[in-house]
Amino acid sequence: MMDLKRCSRCVMPETHETIFYDDEGVCNICRQHELKHEKIDWDKRKQEFVEIVDRYRGKGAYDCIIPISGGKDSTYVLYMMMKKYKVKPLAVSFDHGFYRPHHIKNRDKVLRKLGVDLHLFRSNQKVVKKLMLESLKRKGDFCWHCHTGVFAYPMQIAVKHNIPLLIWGESTAEYTSYYSFDEPDERDEEAFNKWINLGITAEDMEGMLDGSVTMRDLEPYRYPRLRDLNRIGYRSICYGTYHPWDVRKHVDVIQKELGWEVDEVEGVPSDYWYTKLECMFSGVRDYLKFLKRGFGRTTQLATDDVRAGVITREEALTRLRQNDGLKPASLGPFLEFIGITEDEFNEIAARHMVSPWKCDPKKIRKGKTLHDQEDWNLSGVNEQVIIAKEAEAQEE
């Protein structure tokens, strides 16, 4: 993987989506961060944000919807919107069925502490299994169900309950170049079709499957009709478009103010255990990216740290050499759930490999097993596991 061309400033390789390098070898995403730190008038942006929030405040049962997974970003936005902007939000959580036990406990603790209403949707796992396999085969990405559900479902709730303002987390300009910091970046239908749904709508997915999944099953993954969104006068904006985004500072805030806790994550050093800790299969997703593109989660996180001035480029290179590309222990449960062999998984990944990267999965080292993997319940009823564990602890 060290043979890939990389940005001369950060460490992001040429196989990253939307990336290109200028004459100095600096990637376009690093150039976006120059805009973020040197050109954007953040005081003006914050004033624009205040005006938007005030425009929608007090018009109904809730001032806004905040889509929440319970991870660091959505937790921080929920905290800031209640603490600083004094709104009454409805938190909407799309549970894809793979949330880890500790994460659910962590999320619910935060919601109780803040005192916020939660609308929780948990998806049908039999349908999810078919969606995962189909999108894996066609796009080399098994997370279509998660991408589209997390994005589309809160929009549906906005229409259903007439709550026109939705506030999401960071701007996509932090990590990719679908948008830059000086462009409008709203979580609207354009964004849904540009970088969320992998070019596959719910209607497309119905046609791709074997007839056993209908549009009624796929309703949670369908973006609302524009006329319905326009009827409520919707705005779907990112907190990070109007406020400078600093992940490590945000984690410090929610740990101190809400008791939010980190957890072990596959394939990254322990000081990165604050991100992507929600999902049982984050490690498989990162491993699949490595098979296709030659880099994993550590490269992404180390790149963020280089841009933020936390570590040097040389330190980032050391980190990715040590951590990227380990075969996750969660691959076994994943393959069992989705119903394919490891050879079939590798064959699919090979079909989606991005040139000039080449990879032989047989030469890859194995990673360690997460501390909670034996507690995973793939039927999606993790709360029962937590309750059982707590009961056992009390008896002891």
Side-chain angles (χ1 to χ4, degrees):
M1 63 178 172
M2 303 312 296
D3 294 335
L4 292 172
K5 180 181 179 182
R6 295 177 185 273
C7 172
S8 61
R9 182 174 296 176
C10 68
V11 294
M12 193 54 71
E14 58 190 313
T15 49
H16 183 268
E17 60 185 333
T18 75
I19 202 166
F20 61 86
Y21 308 105
D22 63 18
D23 293 341
E24 299 176 26
V26 179
C27 75
N28 46 331
I29 305 170
C30 280
R31 294 301 186 195
Q32 289 171 188
H33 280 255
E34 290 180 354
L35 282 174
K36 173 184 175 180
H37 295 294
E38 300 170 9
K39 302 292 185 182
I40 302 299
D41 184 341
W42 289 106
D43 290 336
K44 183 179 178 182
R45 290 277 181 100
K46 290 177 187 175
Q47 184 56 39
E48 292 174 6
F49 187 77
V50 169
E51 293 171 1
I52 293 172
V53 173
D54 285 345
R55 196 179 310 148
Y56 289 94
R57 190 191 302 276
K59 300 293 177 62
Y62 299 97
D63 296 321
C64 63
I65 284 175
I66 299 180
I68 181 167
S69 67
K72 64 184 188 319
D73 300 322
S74 57
T75 299
Y76 176 77
V77 171
L78 183 63
Y79 171 76
M80 292 301 292
M81 289 307 300
M82 298 184 73
K83 180 75 174 181
K84 183 175 181 179
Y85 292 100
K86 310 296 183 185
V87 301
K88 181 185 179 186
L90 173 64
V92 177
S93 181
F94 184 91
D95 182 348
H96 42 58
F98 305 120
Y99 281 157
R100 293 168 64 189
H102 181 265
H103 170 72
I104 293 176
K105 189 175 181 180
N106 206 17
R107 179 200 65 193
D108 291 349
K109 177 179 66 177
V110 164
L111 294 175
R112 283 194 297 271
K113 193 160 189 173
L114 284 171
V116 58
D117 292 344
L118 171 67
H119 179 106
L120 174 64
F121 175 84
R122 179 169 293 139
S123 48
N124 179 333
Q125 293 294 278
K126 290 184 178 178
V127 172
V128 165
K129 178 179 178 179
K130 294 183 178 182
L131 301 179
M132 290 173 74
L133 182 58
E134 192 66 23
S135 64
L136 175 63
K137 290 177 178 177
R138 290 182 180 271
K139 295 293 183 177
D141 185 339
F142 57 85
C143 294
W144 180 90
H145 71 102
C146 178
H147 302 321
T148 57
V150 166
F151 198 104
Y153 188 76
M155 304 297 291
Q156 294 182 15
I157 297 303
V159 172
K160 185 175 182 179
H161 296 286
N162 196 28
I163 310 171
L165 180 61
L166 297 98
I167 301 175
W168 306 76
E170 74 274 38
S171 166
T172 57
E174 295 283 341
Y175 313 116
T176 69
S177 282
Y178 290 108
Y179 299 94
S180 183
F181 286 103
D182 58 347
E183 297 176 290
D185 179 8
E186 300 217 2
R187 298 293 165 93
D188 55 13
E189 189 171 19
E190 178 183 304
F192 183 71
N193 291 319
K194 181 182 286 188
W195 59 274
I196 293 291
N197 70 5
L198 307 175
I200 302 174
T201 66
E203 289 80 2
D204 294 333
M205 187 60 82
E206 182 196 27
M208 293 171 178
L209 292 171
D210 57 7
S212 61
V213 174
T214 70
M215 278 308 299
R216 293 178 70 188
D217 300 317
L218 291 164
E219 183 63 22
Y221 310 96
R222 186 180 61 78
Y223 195 82
R225 292 176 296 188
L226 187 57
R227 68 185 182 192
D228 292 332
L229 289 167
N230 287 337
R231 174 176 53 78
I232 65 170
Y234 85 111
R235 287 292 303 273
S236 179
I237 61 176
C238 299
Y239 190 89
T241 299
Y242 301 90
H243 305 79
W245 199 256
D246 189 326
V247 170
R248 289 186 177 272
K249 286 184 179 178
H250 297 173
V251 171
D252 288 342
V253 169
I254 59 177
Q255 285 181 315
K256 179 182 177 183
E257 301 296 333
L258 300 173
W260 187 87
E261 299 174 16
V262 301
D263 198 2
E264 188 178 7
V265 180
E266 288 183 301
V268 298
S270 59
D271 61 336
Y272 290 140
W273 286 357
Y274 55 77
T275 188
K276 300 301 178 186
L277 46 77
E278 303 99 313
C279 182
M280 300 173 187
F281 297 139
S282 289
V284 179
R285 177 170 172 76
D286 293 336
Y287 178 60
L288 180 58
K289 177 184 283 187
F290 180 83
L291 295 179
K292 295 187 306 179
R293 297 177 181 271
F295 71 95
R297 180 69 55 188
T298 298
T299 293
Q300 181 70 62
L301 295 169
T303 292
D304 297 340
D305 272 352
V306 171
R307 291 176 184 143
V310 176
I311 61 175
T312 66
R313 186 175 186 277
E314 288 67 32
E315 289 170 329
L317 289 169
T318 299
R319 288 190 170 203
L320 69 90
R321 284 193 196 97
Q322 294 173 342
N323 294 279
D324 268 357
L326 297 176
K327 183 193 296 184
S330 58
L331 182 61
F334 171 82
L335 295 173
E336 183 177 356
F337 178 80
I338 203 169
I340 61 174
T341 67
E342 185 173 346
D343 285 343
E344 290 170 327
F345 179 81
N346 291 335
E347 288 172 8
I348 293 170
R351 293 204 299 269
H352 296 277
M353 202 174 290
V354 178
S355 180
W357 170 244
K358 295 180 181 178
C359 178
D360 182 357
K362 295 179 180 177
K363 297 180 180 179
I364 289 179
R365 297 174 292 144
K366 293 182 179 178
K368 60 176 291 190
T369 304
L370 291 175
H371 70 90
D372 64 337
Q373 186 169 315
E374 65 177 21
D375 297 334
W376 293 359
N377 185 336
L378 293 176
S379 66
V381 286
N382 293 312
E383 293 90 339
Q384 294 181 13
V385 176
I386 295 172
I387 292 170
K389 288 287 181 183
E390 290 177 341
E392 289 174 7
Q394 290 175 1
E395 289 176 0
E396 292 173 356

